[in-house]
């Protein structure tokens, strides 16, 4: 079962930052937080992951709270192509358990 | 293309028929995973392999389902006596298996429709 809670849907204006929250209050000390996204009819695509520190790559930034019970994925300048379902996952040893994710709709 | 390949992309079959899907992982990845995804839901874990050994199976994997990875490279997922409830996207992923810091690379999936 998924160990994360995400809002089912969010909207964002094109060009603005999209901030997607995730709660993972039962995360263990050595479990990583991963974010994937899935565009219609495609496989999930890796975005970013982190353990304790904030992380940034060419796609997004990941902000993890100090107590590690929640995190936020930030897409700094959302485009229409960022419309997708975004999954926040707590990574166990042997598998990744997906929840229902957040459906992000970027609007012109 | 060095990604994860799945074949076929789409499969339509009649109820009661057997189907087999293939997954070719990234060549240096030793772990391979199968997931199932129904409409509006996130992917659900089915099973995974480390090299040729099948190490975990979900209770979603009924006795009509069998997965193999005979030489630790490609994998097949077979569904026998298909039912309409088997209609779903079947996703394959691979990873280096280096623990929790190792992410998965997913294929584009095989969409199965049972009529």
């Amino acid at each position: 079962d998924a160990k994360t809670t995400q809002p089912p849907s969010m909207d964002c204006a094109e060009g603005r930052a999209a901030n997607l929250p995730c709660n993972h209050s039962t995360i263990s000390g050595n479990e990583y937080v991963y974010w994937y996204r899935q565009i219609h009819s495609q496989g999930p695509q890796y975005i970013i992951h982190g353990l304790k520190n904030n992380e940034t790559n060419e796609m997004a930034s990941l902000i993890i709270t100090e107590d590690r019970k929640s995190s936020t994925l930030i897409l700094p300048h959302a485009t229409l192509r960022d419309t997708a379902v975004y999954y926040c996952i707590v990574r166990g040893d042997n598998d990744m358990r997906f929840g229902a994710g957040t459906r992000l709709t970027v609007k012109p | 293309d060095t990604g994860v390949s799945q074949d076929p992309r789409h499969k339509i079959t009649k109820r009661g028929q057997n189907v087999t899907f293939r997954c070719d992982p990234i060549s240096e990845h030793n772990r391979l995973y199968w997931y199932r995804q129904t409409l509006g839901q996130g992917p659900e874990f089915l099973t995974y392999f480390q090299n040729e050994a099948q190490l975990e199976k979900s209770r979603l994997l009924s006795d009509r389902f069998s997965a193999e990875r005979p030489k630790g490279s490609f994998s097949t997922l077979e569904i026998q006596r298909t039912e309409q409830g088997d209609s779903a996207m079947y996703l394959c992923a691979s990873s280096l298996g280096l623990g929790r810091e190792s992410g998965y690379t997913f294929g584009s999936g095989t969409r199965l429709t049972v009529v």
Side-chain angles (χ1 to χ4, degrees):
Chain A
D1 294 330
K3 299 171 68 172
T4 62
T5 304
Q6 299 177 253
S9 64
M10 293 182 63
D11 291 342
C12 177
E14 187 179 19
R16 304 298 294 268
N19 297 293
L20 291 90
C22 179
N23 287 324
H24 32 79
S25 59
T26 61
I27 192 170
S28 300
N30 55 357
E31 290 180 319
Y32 283 76
V33 178
Y34 278 76
W35 283 83
Y36 280 76
R37 73 180 182 184
Q38 189 172 27
I39 296 169
H40 183 61
S41 295
Q42 297 181 21
Q45 175 192 23
Y46 168 81
I47 301 173
I48 198 167
H49 74 282
L51 181 62
K52 296 179 183 177
N53 300 321
N54 299 337
E55 302 288 343
T56 296
N57 63 21
E58 64 277 4
M59 290 182 68
S61 295
L62 174 60
I63 309 298
I64 302 175
T65 58
E66 191 168 343
D67 64 8
R68 303 210 325 120
K69 293 185 177 181
S70 65
S71 61
T72 302
L73 178 74
I74 301 172
L75 307 179
H77 306 286
T79 71
L80 299 179
R81 286 178 293 181
D82 292 322
T83 292
V85 178
Y86 287 77
Y87 296 101
C88 169
I89 301 155
V90 170
R91 168 82 155 98
D93 274 331
N94 296 323
D95 58 64
M96 289 197 188
R97 307 281 172 159
F98 288 75
T102 296
R103 179 171 297 279
L104 175 70
T105 303
V106 181
K107 298 185 174 181
Chain B
D1 184 9
T2 57
V4 176
S5 299
Q6 291 190 247
D7 183 70
R9 287 296 310 276
H10 303 274
K11 178 71 176 179
I12 300 174
T13 191
K14 291 183 178 180
R15 190 175 52 185
Q17 297 294 305
N18 298 344
V19 293
T20 300
F21 311 139
R22 177 179 170 123
C23 171
D24 286 90
I26 292 173
S27 57
E28 61 266 28
H29 285 184
N30 61 350
R31 287 200 174 183
L32 186 148
Y33 308 83
W34 285 99
Y35 284 78
R36 181 180 74 180
Q37 186 174 26
T38 53
L39 202 60
Q41 303 298 315
E44 297 171 290
F45 170 77
L46 291 178
T47 188
Y48 91 93
F49 292 83
Q50 178 155 316
N51 301 313
E52 66 275 10
Q54 189 173 16
L55 296 186
E56 186 175 347
K57 292 194 282 189
S58 161
R59 47 180 194 274
L60 292 176
L61 210 67
S62 77
D63 56 6
R64 296 185 298 106
F65 287 69
S66 63
E68 295 182 344
R69 195 183 182 197
K71 297 181 179 179
S73 56
F74 73 92
S75 176
T76 57
L77 178 67
E78 180 183 17
I79 309 174
Q80 296 182 327
R81 305 180 303 280
T82 53
E83 302 173 356
Q84 287 189 319
D86 297 331
S87 294
M89 173 81 85
Y90 289 84
L91 292 161
C92 176
S94 68
S95 76
L96 276 172
L98 297 177
R100 298 175 183 184
E101 196 174 2
S102 177
Y104 294 8
T105 301
F106 281 85
S108 297
T110 293
R111 181 166 295 284
L112 173 67
T113 303
V114 181
V115 297

